[in-house]
Amino acid sequence: MKRAIFPGSFDPLTNGHLDIIKRSSPLFDEIIIAVLNNPEKNPMFSVEERCELIREILPEIETGKCDLIVDSFSGLTADFARKSGAAAIVRGIRAVADYEYELRMALMNRRLEPQIETVFLVAAEEFSYVSSSLMKQVFTLGGRVEGLVPAQVEAKMREKLKS
Ligand code: PNS
């Protein structure tokens, strides 16, 4: 049984994240989408809201025999990966600019938990510029983000803006 975690802030989930989940699903039997509880970062969505949104969207994607689980965590990703019994940490690379930061994290996580490998997957070109923070900024300023985030995410961002 090969288990991986896909950690992130997911504030909110984008189509780029979904692309990475789809791409990683043939490699593992189970992937835990691990949502970081980071209230100090002043997220747009609470960790509960982010998990709920992801749980609503995941059934729509085709992942074959791979089970997808949504969970939240606080503290170190490496600790969460070990406690989950994961063999790997999945991260997406969109462009060269991501690599330096991701490499530092992968090396630190390996130092903390040497038996857990980081697996980098290359995101689809069409999502190479998509990040949660860019989506929030553009949407908040009245720009269109359709096709870049799931429709449910767009609807929830609209609700947030109104409230
Ligand atoms: O989606 P993000 O914001 O790029 O995800 C970053 C994340 C959550 C993977 C990273 O910030 C993280 O692992 N945070 C948990 C704390 C931790 O383990 N820090 C040391 C990383 S080497």
Side-chain angles (χ1 to χ4, degrees):
M1 155 79 160
K2 279 209 162 33
R3 180 182 292 132
I5 66 161
F6 178 34
S9 304
F10 303 106
D11 185 42
L13 180 87
T14 68
N15 285 347
H17 292 128
L18 286 180
D19 175 59
I20 295 298
I21 295 169
K22 279 186 219 161
R23 284 175 197 281
S24 51
S25 63
L27 306 176
F28 301 101
D29 301 306
E30 186 179 288
I31 300 170
I32 303 173
I33 320 303
V35 183
L36 179 66
N37 188 5
N38 50 354
E40 71 291 344
K41 269 193 152 183
N42 232 340
M44 181 181 236
F45 296 101
S46 70
V47 70
E48 293 81 14
E49 288 173 320
R50 282 178 267 157
C51 289
E52 201 183 301
L53 247 179
I54 299 171
R55 284 195 189 103
E56 203 181 308
I57 293 160
L58 287 185
E60 294 174 10
I61 67 166
E62 184 48 60
T63 56
K65 289 195 180 108
C66 177
D67 288 327
L68 299 178
I69 291 170
V70 183
D71 202 355
S72 61
F73 75 105
S74 303
L76 289 173
T77 292
D79 282 347
F80 180 76
R82 176 179 37 77
K83 287 178 196 153
S84 309
I89 296 171
V90 169
R91 292 288 290 171
I93 300 267
R94 291 164 297 191
V96 177
D98 283 338
Y99 183 68
E100 216 173 304
Y101 168 64
E102 293 296 335
L103 178 66
R104 274 189 278 131
M105 278 210 296
L107 292 173
M108 191 63 217
N109 283 329
R110 182 195 276 166
R111 189 184 175 93
L112 294 168
E113 292 297 335
Q115 76 288 2
I116 300 176
E117 289 296 339
T118 294
V119 175
F120 290 140
L121 293 173
V122 178
E125 296 93 305
E126 61 193 294
F127 302 127
S128 61
Y129 61 95
V130 174
S131 68
S132 299
S133 47
L134 190 62
M135 295 304 103
K136 282 185 285 191
Q137 187 187 91
V138 169
F139 189 81
T140 308
L141 297 173
R144 285 184 298 113
V145 292
E146 68 204 58
L148 304 178
V149 299
Q152 295 92 326
V153 166
E154 203 181 332
K156 279 278 184 286
M157 286 204 288
R158 190 163 296 118
E159 269 177 36
K160 276 278 165 195
L161 272 194
K162 277 192 203 146
S163 62

